[in-house]
Amino acid sequence: MKIRISLFLAAALLAVGSCTKRPVRPDLGTTAIDTLISNNGLACKVEYRFATIRNAAASPALEAIEQTNIGYFFLLEGFSGTPEEAAQASLREIAAEYLQDIPEQSHTYEYSIDSEISVTDTLLTCVINRWSYLGGAHGMYGTECHTYSLADGYEYELADLFSEEEQQNLAAAIHAKLCEEYEAADDEALSEAGFFPEYIAATENFILTPEGMTFHFNPYEIGCYALGSIEVSLTNEEIGQLRK
């Protein structure tokens, strides 16, 4: 009898296989910063809620995950330092990029980010949520998902879990799920519903769960802003069918 291994378990086994010692469990906390920055008559209200690993120094894997999450959260490339130091660098970038032009009338922008970390078995998942209003017709929001191995700090990508052919099958399954949910018979009907069918594919923005896998699509990625953020979930059984 063939034994089916769930996607979640497969990733966990990969993580365990990379290190024989039991991974250090993270001690989670929150770095919270609320401030108002201003320049040239413009102001921006900033709220940060960064899910930090307080014992990151306890293992190279946790340190790698913490530094990677800091870079993602504060949008800083090649940064090395504490969340507080990253926050100050981020605030300086916001002031330099968005608060330079002198407006006819003063205006207050808003920029809010929070993150949440969850741990299941040997995998750590970090979800980052952003919301901002930095001018224009409306605010923008989005979600970023990152899954790591607690054994070595490695961040999983689709290529670690699926072959190129299987990724094409994933795209077809996501397309079929959207057609079913929005009662669309074909791409033309999806387009009428506000989707961009040619951009529907498996995204790197995913979460692994014991039940399967969830893909997150932010506004404008596969559809118009009015559709909002879109989630498509596939069960382990459905993913198993794609591997045949």
Side-chain angles (χ1 to χ4, degrees), residues 36-230:
L36 182 70
I37 55 177
S38 60
N39 190 28
N40 292 332
L42 284 172
C44 184
K45 179 182 179 182
V46 180
E47 296 180 355
Y48 289 148
R49 296 292 183 274
F50 176 71
T52 186
I53 302 175
R54 290 183 290 206
N55 63 333
S59 79
L62 291 183
E63 180 64 30
I65 294 171
E66 175 81 344
Q67 288 300 311
T68 302
N69 281 339
I70 286 174
Y72 284 139
F73 187 95
F74 295 103
L75 299 177
L76 299 173
E77 293 187 11
F79 179 86
S80 180
T82 67
E84 291 81 7
E85 291 169 338
Q88 293 307 311
S90 175
L91 292 173
R92 288 193 295 270
E93 287 198 0
I94 293 173
E97 184 171 356
Y98 297 108
L99 305 184
Q100 287 301 311
D101 296 332
I102 300 176
E104 294 181 2
Q105 296 180 347
S106 63
H107 189 81
T108 300
Y109 295 148
E110 294 185 45
Y111 193 56
S112 175
I113 318 175
D114 67 78
S115 62
E116 181 179 354
I117 288 176
S118 60
V119 176
T120 306
D121 198 33
T122 59
L123 299 181
L124 180 148
T125 298
C126 179
V127 177
I128 301 172
N129 297 299
R130 301 181 189 277
W131 187 91
S132 64
Y133 176 75
L134 300 170
H138 53 69
M140 285 296 297
Y141 62 92
T143 297
E144 302 169 28
C145 307
H146 306 280
T147 299
Y148 305 91
S149 161
L150 281 175
D152 57 14
Y154 180 78
E155 181 178 359
Y156 286 101
E157 300 178 352
L158 286 175
D160 299 311
L161 305 169
F162 302 100
S163 67
E164 289 186 9
E165 181 180 356
E166 288 169 344
Q167 290 185 50
Q168 293 176 1
N169 293 338
L170 273 176
I174 292 170
H175 184 280
K177 283 268 187 178
L178 291 172
C179 285
E180 179 182 357
E181 181 177 351
Y182 288 86
E183 300 181 348
D186 50 29
D187 282 354
E188 183 178 353
L190 279 176
S191 295
E192 291 176 355
F195 285 95
F196 312 143
E198 65 274 19
Y199 292 107
I200 296 175
T203 174
E204 295 288 350
N205 203 18
F206 63 81
I207 290 177
L208 297 175
T209 70
E211 294 74 31
M213 194 171 190
T214 297
F215 295 91
H216 292 260
F217 298 95
N218 291 314
Y220 294 124
E221 287 187 341
I222 60 171
C224 65
Y225 183 84
L227 283 173
S229 129
I230 298 165

